[in-house]
């Protein structure tokens, strides 16, 4: 840590020093994307990534998934078109919420399951991993 703090110019102890060195460490370790890659991932038409948590009830995410796949009209009268691909992902206890949202969409006949991907990624700052699920739903 001290060497990292010296390289980043941050103090090796104290809140400010830790924050600066973590930022510096993240800037070194995270892969850098080119402008084309960033634009491609941010503006892929018809694809939405929905990250679910346990902070809101499952019905919130079920309604959101349904509205993504059916299209909605906003309060200003603007019509939002339905999307083609919905990626639903959840970490830890939110896996149940992600599965509930995906199964409800399929049960209603709004989409079909394309891919279910599970992983156990390492969490930053801990030595333990956390289960993760990513479900890809295609519009019918």
């Amino acid at each position: 840590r001290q060497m990292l703090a010296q390289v980043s110019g941050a103090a090796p102890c104290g809140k400010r020093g830790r924050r600066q060195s973590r930022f510096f460490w993240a800037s070194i370790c995270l892969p850098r994307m080119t402008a084309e890659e960033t634009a491609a991932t941010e503006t892929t038409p018809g694809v939405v990534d929905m990250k679910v948590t346990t902070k809101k009830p499952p019905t919130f995410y079920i309604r959101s998934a349904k509205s993504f796949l059916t299209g909605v009209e906003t309060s200003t009268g603007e019509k939002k078109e339905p999307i083609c691909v919905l990626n639903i992902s959840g970490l830890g206890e939110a896996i149940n919420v992600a599965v509930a949202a995906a199964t409800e969409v399929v049960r209603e006949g709004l989409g079909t399951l394309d891919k279910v991907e599970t992983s156990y990624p390492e969490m930053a700052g801990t030595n333990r991993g956390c289960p993760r699920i990513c479900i890809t739903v295609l519009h019918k």
Side-chain angles (χ1 to χ4, degrees), residues 64-128:
S64 296
K66 287 180 182 179
S67 66
F68 278 129
L69 292 171
T70 58
V72 293
E73 189 171 328
T74 62
S75 59
T76 61
E78 179 185 349
K79 175 78 172 143
K80 297 233 178 194
E81 296 297 320
I83 61 165
C84 297
V85 179
L86 177 63
N87 296 319
I88 305 171
S89 64
L91 273 175
E93 294 179 5
I95 288 176
N96 293 334
V97 178
V99 171
T103 54
E104 187 64 25
V105 165
V106 171
R107 190 178 69 77
E108 294 276 329
L110 300 173
T112 58
L113 286 180
D114 181 46
K115 180 170 57 170
V116 178
E117 187 178 329
T118 60
S119 62
Y120 202 78
E122 290 264 337
M123 294 288 105
T126 64
N127 294 333
R128 298 173 47 171

Side-chain angles (χ1 to χ4, degrees), residues 7-85:
V7 171
S8 67
C13 60
K15 287 187 177 182
R16 181 179 168 146
R18 272 188 257 139
R19 188 178 316 130
Q20 286 177 344
S21 63
R22 282 187 192 144
F23 173 73
F24 180 74
W25 182 252
S27 67
I28 291 174
C29 294
L30 296 176
R32 298 205 186 265
M33 297 174 63
T34 64
E36 295 91 22
E37 291 173 336
T38 304
T41 57
E42 290 177 358
T43 61
T44 305
V47 177
V48 172
D49 295 326
M50 186 170 78
K51 296 178 183 176
V52 301
T53 66
T54 55
K55 293 180 180 178
K56 295 187 180 189
T59 54
F60 172 81
Y61 294 108
I62 291 170
R63 276 184 308 206
S64 296
K66 287 180 182 179
S67 66
F68 278 129
L69 292 171
T70 58
V72 293
E73 189 171 328
T74 62
S75 59
T76 61
E78 179 185 349
K79 175 78 172 143
K80 297 233 178 194
E81 296 297 320
I83 61 165
C84 297
V85 179

